[in-house]
């Protein structure tokens, strides 16, 4: 059984640029969630994807967007990067039905630094 | 809005002692409460979870208790070991069972001194 994999592991971007982060879900999992973890903080929910559609979103602006592909992998896109976007971006996969039915398992994350 | 408060923010214990971390949540509809352990530079790893239909769950040296009336839950680690040193996060599942999200606490940095 393969776990959640994310790429790249580290990324440095300049303010105003755009970035794409990628996630492959754990084998058999059809739902992907993205979280942002600022230094010294708990992860914050960005959004969740199921059947290639967003079905839940946290308090993040529209410049945070995503995609899910037929193989359940996912991308997180962030436009017009700001310094405060510097964080660890975590992807978690699960089976549909929310965390109650299927505990979230996280990938190792992508460390994004915006300068 | 939905919120999870976690205390203490730092905790230092001697090896072999017990450690207790406490969380309170605001959404009375929350029904799932996981605990994650995150070592420096690594992913959060699920160590134990509890659903709202039970009051206590134990797995070897780790136990979690839930008080739905008071809307708080706690993590208990007994016989602590240096490898237990990490940041621990509590969380509460908010939203319906079809797409609920996790609301995380701010984290507790546990240090176990040999």
């Amino acid at each position: 059984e393969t776990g959640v994999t994310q790429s790249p592991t580290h990324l440095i971007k300049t303010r105003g640029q755009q970035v794409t982060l990628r996630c492959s879900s754990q084998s058999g999992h059809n739902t992907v969630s993205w979280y942002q973890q600022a230094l010294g903080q708990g992860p914050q929910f960005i959004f969740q994807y199921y059947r290639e559609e967003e079905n839940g979103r946290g308090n993040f602006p529209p410049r945070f967007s995503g995609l899910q592909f037929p193989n359940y992998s996912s991308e997180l896109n962030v436009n017009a990067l700001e310094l405060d976007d510097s964080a660890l971006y975590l992807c978690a996969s699960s089976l549909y039905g929310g965390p109650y039915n299927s505990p979230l398992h996280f990938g190792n994350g992508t460390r994004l630094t915006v300068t | 809005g939905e919120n999870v408060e976690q205390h203490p923010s730092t905790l230092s214990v001697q090896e072999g002692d017990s450690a207790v971390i406490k969380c309170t949540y605001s959404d009375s509809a929350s029904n799932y409460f996981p605990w994650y352990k995150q070592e420096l530079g690594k992913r959060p790893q699920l160590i134990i979870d509890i659903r709202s239909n039970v009051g206590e769950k134990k797995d070897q040296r780790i136990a979690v208790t839930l008080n739905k009336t008071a809307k708080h839950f706690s993590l208990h680690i007994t016989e602590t070991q240096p490898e237990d040193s990490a940041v621990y996060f509590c969380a509460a599942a908010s939203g319906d069972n079809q797409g609920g999200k996790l609301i995380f606490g701010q984290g507790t940095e546990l240090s176990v001194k040999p």
Side-chain angles (χ1 to χ4, degrees):
Chain A
E1 181 183 272
T2 357
V4 178
T5 58
Q6 292 185 244
S7 63
T9 54
H10 295 83
L11 205 50
I12 300 175
K13 290 286 189 178
T14 303
R15 190 172 49 186
Q17 286 188 317
Q18 178 266 343
V19 68
T20 297
L21 310 181
R22 295 178 175 82
C23 172
S24 293
S25 61
Q26 182 170 318
S27 177
H29 284 182
N30 55 20
T31 302
V32 173
S33 304
W34 287 91
Y35 287 77
Q36 180 196 65
Q37 186 177 23
L39 203 61
Q41 302 292 318
Q44 283 197 299
F45 177 73
I46 303 175
F47 43 55
Q48 180 181 77
Y49 275 84
Y50 171 69
R51 286 187 176 175
E52 302 175 53
E53 289 192 3
E54 182 183 295
N55 75 332
R57 189 177 183 95
N59 294 325
F60 282 82
R63 60 189 185 83
F64 285 77
S65 63
L67 285 172
Q68 186 181 31
F69 300 99
N71 66 353
Y72 308 129
S73 66
S74 177
E75 286 183 355
L76 165 65
N77 299 290
V78 187
N79 294 322
L81 283 167
E82 300 177 0
L83 297 179
D84 285 348
D85 295 334
S86 296
L88 180 67
Y89 288 84
L90 294 162
C91 171
S93 72
S94 60
L95 293 170
Y96 190 64
Y100 183 92
N101 293 320
S102 177
L104 298 190
H105 293 275
F106 288 92
N108 286 324
T110 294
R111 173 71 63 188
L112 173 64
T113 302
V114 182
T115 62
Chain B
E2 303 146 338
N3 191 42
V4 174
E5 295 286 336
Q6 182 173 347
H7 299 281
S9 56
T10 60
L11 180 59
S12 182
V13 300
Q14 287 294 134
E15 182 178 359
D17 287 351
S18 295
V20 179
I21 303 170
K22 299 182 178 182
C23 290
T24 58
Y25 59 97
S26 61
D27 186 356
S28 56
S30 296
N31 57 9
Y32 172 69
F33 308 89
W35 286 87
Y36 286 85
K37 174 184 179 182
Q38 188 174 31
E39 297 175 30
L40 192 62
K42 297 191 176 181
R43 70 176 119 184
Q45 288 194 299
L46 180 68
I47 57 172
I48 195 167
D49 57 11
I50 190 168
R51 290 170 175 78
S52 55
N53 56 345
V54 298
E56 185 174 356
K57 183 176 178 180
K58 189 173 181 180
D59 182 4
Q60 300 184 345
R61 297 185 298 110
I62 295 174
V64 58
T65 58
L66 171 65
N67 183 328
K68 287 177 58 181
T69 304
K71 290 193 284 187
H72 69 69
F73 56 113
S74 301
L75 177 71
H76 304 253
I77 306 175
T78 58
E79 300 171 25
T80 54
Q81 302 166 1
E83 50 265 39
D84 294 330
S85 296
V87 179
Y88 290 80
F89 292 97
C90 63
S94 184
D96 61 37
N97 286 337
Q98 301 311 309
K101 60 189 177 189
L102 288 181
I103 307 296
F104 283 84
Q106 301 89 332
T108 296
E109 184 174 2
L110 174 64
S111 176
V112 180
K113 300 184 185 305

